[in-house]
Amino acid sequence: MPEARAPGEAEAANRLMRLAKEIARHDMLYHDQDAPEISDADYDALVRENRALEERFPHLVRADSPSKRLGAAPTGALAKITHARPMLSLDNAFSDEEVREFVARVRRFLSLPADEAVALTAEPKIDGLSCSLRYENGKLVLAATRGDGAVGEDVTPNVRTIADIPQQLSGAPAVLEVRGEVYMSKADFAALNERQEAAGGKIFANPRNAAAGSLRQKDAGITAARPLRFLAHGWGELSEPLAATQMAAMQRIASFGIPVSNLLQRCDGVDQALDHYRAIEHARADLPFDIDGVVYKVDRLDWQERLGFVARAPRWGLAHKFPAEKAETTLEAIDIQVGRTGKLTPVGRLKPVGVGGVMVANVTLHNRDEIERLGLRVGDRVRIQRAGDVIPQVVENLTREEPRQAFVFPDHCPMCDSEAVAEEGEVDVRCTGGLICPAQRFERLRHFVSRGALDIEGLGEKSIAEFIELGWLHSPADIFRLRRHRADLLGREGWKEKSVDNLLAAIEAKRAPDGPRFLFGLGIRHVGIVTARDLLKCFGTVEELRRASEAEGGQAELSGVQGVGPVVAEALVDFFHEEHNRTALDDLLSEVRPAPYVSDARQTEWTGKTIVFTGSLETMSRDEAKAQAERLGARAAGSVSAKTDLVVAGPGAGSKLKKAEELGVRVVNEAEWAEIVAGA
Ligand code: IVH
């Protein structure tokens, strides 16, 4: 946890990079694939961690920072729509205290006198997907999903099939954008899944995903066949104000014939608002649709205007989330799933039980330690909880004192039978069968041909997936045998003589790959391209490295290599210890001959010096520049410090150049660098 320990700047930059990637992935899973992997609470924690780090280190805010985005930009086939006014999100609260704090913040911001009441509206937070409906002169002209908040997807034809949404309004302003949630009722969701199951179609995890999947269809005919509903909760662009308060504005929207929740209420102050929260919480199970909290909004619109927004959310609104729902059931089995990175994840199979209106039959058990922490065994009674709309979790083992056979976490991969190990200090157990494990096959092959590794042009994700499907690709060696399938490939859709021959030529061109790239391509844990180079600098060939890794005491020898520590050494020993990997590597080496690594570093005045490249380089790639530095015996580093000896700055160089100047580090341009290289 970042709060527990103050991170240094480098650590923060690293963490921000990982958070940006991770949050983007979860946004994509949630918004594009309607298949979230983590709970809303866990997602919020990531966003909060990101925000806290950015506040501490404002100069480290990344161009791709999650705080500059909302959700995932849509990637599907629907046309993109830029919202006239951005569609924002809400901050969350989980306790009465946080709600009171919200109102106190509003008061402070507006400098209200103590006796001035802050009226709020309170209404259910519907678990659907937000949608903006644009009416011009009373006619529905455009409907868009939220997308990333700035740009959404055009779902106009789809929305026209929703009976709740009028096509025509009377008495409305010339421009009126109504915003609200498209959702599916619990009953309609259950019936839809039954129909889907009977027809062998996709089963939706929950009503929200069903609504999203139904609305975001290229073919509006499919949407029409799905029972979608709509409830308004606000507005976007307006040609004239609707009213002076939130409540009155919503009443006007209702008067146009657009559905508004009948649980929307105006409250004189925070106490009344909290009372209404409890009333809605009480009504929750009987409501025909899923809700996950209550939304409060400052009632006076002139105050909303003054309060404005911070980053993703308005200062005048708050979502008060319900606590996770709990239920008790029996753990009937523990299965192990193998992820694409080889991680073994235990999944609990339950006697199905209803939690907050949804039947739950599976829970994630996270990892080996979690099973141990809860003392879980097959047959235990467990308390589970479901937060938001994602995978439920076990929170308590109710029968841990009862005698029962302990669960033994496998030490072999259930997919490929390779050894499965947890590294020192790590909770995740991973399959070591990298090259041959079917669960990891796609990722591994993709990595093997990627730009940093063998760099086989034209062998992209789609082709890899296609060839795996055809049974042509099992391990990397098969890539070099694809030419045997030339005739079959020519008969397939999307493949022409030219594209097939280009691909086969690109593969042939890599029969004598660069040694470090080849080693890196094997995907051994912790062996990045730099480590691969360090290893081959010492061992020359992959075969030699393998001999060292397999030898008695090899781990110690490996640990001693410059740039290699015990973690890498252990990963190498594990990798080469695995029979499957040895076979796959032998097979691969029967097809390709990686060039032995010849160290061409010379003793120069630059030997042992540290060089940083920044800005854009025009005559060479960054990899090449780094290789040049290494040939001079220097080290290419990523950041400027007092230890930096030289900075090579191209156009557009920014903070690193500034820092170098501040520290008095010598700075040269690309042409001067070329002279240094030539003269050294
Ligand atoms: S008001 C400026 N009211 O929750 C923010 N949102 O977590 C306006 N939602 O994007 C949102 N029910 O999709 C509002 N009664 C309600 C809502 C609601 C569901 C969704 C909405 C929003 C998200 C924020």
Side-chain angles (χ1 to χ4, degrees), residues 88-90 123-126 130 146 181 233 295 297 314 316:
L88 294 146
S89 180
L90 287 168
E123 70 200 289
K125 184 168 191 301
I126 298 118
S130 54
R146 183 172 80 163
E181 297 291 294
H233 51 60
V295 177
K297 294 166 194 165
W316 45 260

Side-chain angles (χ1 to χ4, degrees), residues 566-637:
V567 175
V568 175
E570 191 183 342
L572 286 163
V573 171
D574 281 347
F575 181 87
F576 289 111
H577 173 74
E578 193 54 62
E579 176 75 41
H580 295 309
N581 289 336
R582 293 203 298 258
T583 315
L585 182 59
D586 285 340
D587 191 18
L588 182 55
L589 289 172
S590 74
E591 296 289 344
V592 301
R593 201 89 294 271
Y597 190 85
V598 184
S599 172
D600 51 1
R602 290 169 290 145
Q603 281 289 328
T604 70
E605 60 169 311
W606 294 97
T607 303
K609 299 270 168 69
T610 300
I611 302 178
V612 172
F613 295 91
T614 181
S616 62
L617 301 173
E618 288 169 340
T619 64
M620 60 190 157
S621 70
R622 199 159 285 247
D623 281 346
E624 184 179 355
K626 285 187 179 169
Q628 289 178 340
E630 280 171 13
R631 274 199 297 275
L632 301 185
R635 199 176 76 84

Side-chain angles (χ1 to χ4, degrees), residues 30 40 70 86-92 122-131 146 179-182 208 231-235 246 250 261 264 291-297 309 312-314 316-319 321:
Y30 186 85
D40 287 2
L70 289 173
M87 292 181 76
L88 294 146
S89 180
L90 287 168
D91 279 339
N92 292 325
E123 70 200 289
K125 184 168 191 301
I126 298 118
D127 212 356
L129 80 154
S130 54
C131 192
R146 183 172 80 163
R179 290 181 174 172
E181 297 291 294
V182 170
R208 198 206 86 88
L231 274 175
H233 51 60
W235 57 90
Q246 178 78 25
M250 292 310 294
S261 171
L264 167 65
I291 64 173
D292 60 351
V294 169
V295 177
Y296 307 116
K297 294 166 194 165
F309 300 87
R312 299 157 75 108
W316 45 260
L318 186 73
K321 293 285 197 78

Side-chain angles (χ1 to χ4, degrees), residues 50 113 379 388 492 528 565 635 642:
N50 188 74
R492 296 189 59 81
R635 199 176 76 84

